[in-house]
Amino acid sequence: MVRLSTALILSLWLPLLPLAWAARQGSEVPPVRSVPAVDLKRYAGTWYELARLPNRFQSDCARDVTARYEPLADGGVRVTNRCRTLEGEVKTAEGLAVPTDRSNARLKVSFLPGWLKRLPGARGDYWVVLLDPQYRWAVVSEPRRENLWVLARSPALPPQELARIVDTLAGRGYPTDRLLLTPHDAADLSHAAGY
């Protein structure tokens, strides 16, 4: 049996360390960044969820997921999320989003009842990370990449456009292989109208 000395082992492995370090550095994902700015007046209105990462607070949402944003006089944004469950019932959640800086691209949102919505620790991150210049679609996430929503002004985007968005997200380190596509029944979107 041949025994290799520590010096011999190190002489074999030391030249490979820079390569291993470089490979590790290349695999690290950059931090999540929001878009430079969001015009809340243009962002206001109804958005249709096209895809999302699985999350506990939407576990019973099966289809027809929408979000409506309404800017408030105090600078906050009223949020109304709606979806249809597997049983066909409409589920609604009312929330409040508050911008964290002048860009309006990073907000804190809470769906707790009443005055509890304004407690600092009771709010989650809501960052607009991609935004179409015409505000036809948007992507929302947060710093840990645990939550992700692809939203659009209509219940569908052309498949190649949605594929480009997903490719961009994959390139930014999002687990796009886990995305759930959100079906919309055009005849069943009455819950999205008039709110």
Side-chain angles (χ1 to χ4, degrees):
M1 177 177 211
V2 177
R3 289 191 175 183
L4 299 175
S5 70
T6 305
L8 180 58
I9 293 171
L10 286 175
S11 70
L12 294 172
W13 282 102
L14 278 178
L16 299 176
L17 286 177
L19 294 173
W21 184 82
R24 185 174 185 273
Q25 294 301 315
S27 67
E28 289 184 18
V29 266
V32 174
R33 297 191 193 288
S34 60
V35 297
V38 173
D39 179 342
L40 292 180
K41 288 182 182 174
R42 290 183 71 191
Y43 200 81
T46 300
W47 293 83
Y48 296 85
E49 179 189 276
L50 303 186
R52 71 174 179 266
L53 286 177
N55 61 66
R56 61 178 168 73
F57 37 89
Q58 282 184 284
S59 59
D60 56 348
C61 288
R63 58 189 167 92
D64 303 328
V65 181
T66 59
R68 181 168 177 81
Y69 304 102
E70 180 185 345
L72 302 172
D74 66 0
V77 178
R78 179 179 293 123
V79 182
T80 306
N81 291 341
R82 292 189 176 162
C83 72
R84 282 207 187 270
T85 65
L86 282 172
E87 295 77 29
E89 296 175 16
V90 174
K91 178 182 168 183
T92 302
E94 299 282 336
L96 175 69
V98 179
T100 62
D101 60 28
R102 301 181 107 193
S103 75
N104 294 324
R106 295 181 179 194
L107 301 100
K108 290 283 190 179
V109 66
S110 175
F111 289 91
L112 292 174
W115 62 271
L116 293 173
K117 287 182 175 113
R118 295 210 180 256
L119 292 176
R123 296 180 267 173
D125 289 309
Y126 179 105
W127 289 12
V128 180
V129 297
L130 292 174
L131 181 61
D132 175 65
Q134 284 76 44
Y135 286 65
R136 294 179 306 114
W137 56 263
V139 177
V140 175
S141 186
E142 41 70 41
R144 295 171 310 282
R145 292 182 177 86
E146 293 173 4
N147 296 304
L148 179 73
W149 294 271
V150 179
L151 309 173
R153 290 297 190 176
S154 60
L157 284 175
Q160 64 275 17
E161 189 167 16
L162 183 56
R164 276 195 303 273
I165 295 167
V166 172
D167 285 347
T168 300
L169 292 168
R172 293 185 181 188
Y174 286 93
T176 55
D177 58 321
R178 295 181 43 229
L179 277 176
L180 302 173
L181 295 179
T182 307
H184 289 277
D185 182 354
D188 223 2
L189 288 174
S190 57
H191 77 277
Y195 83 103

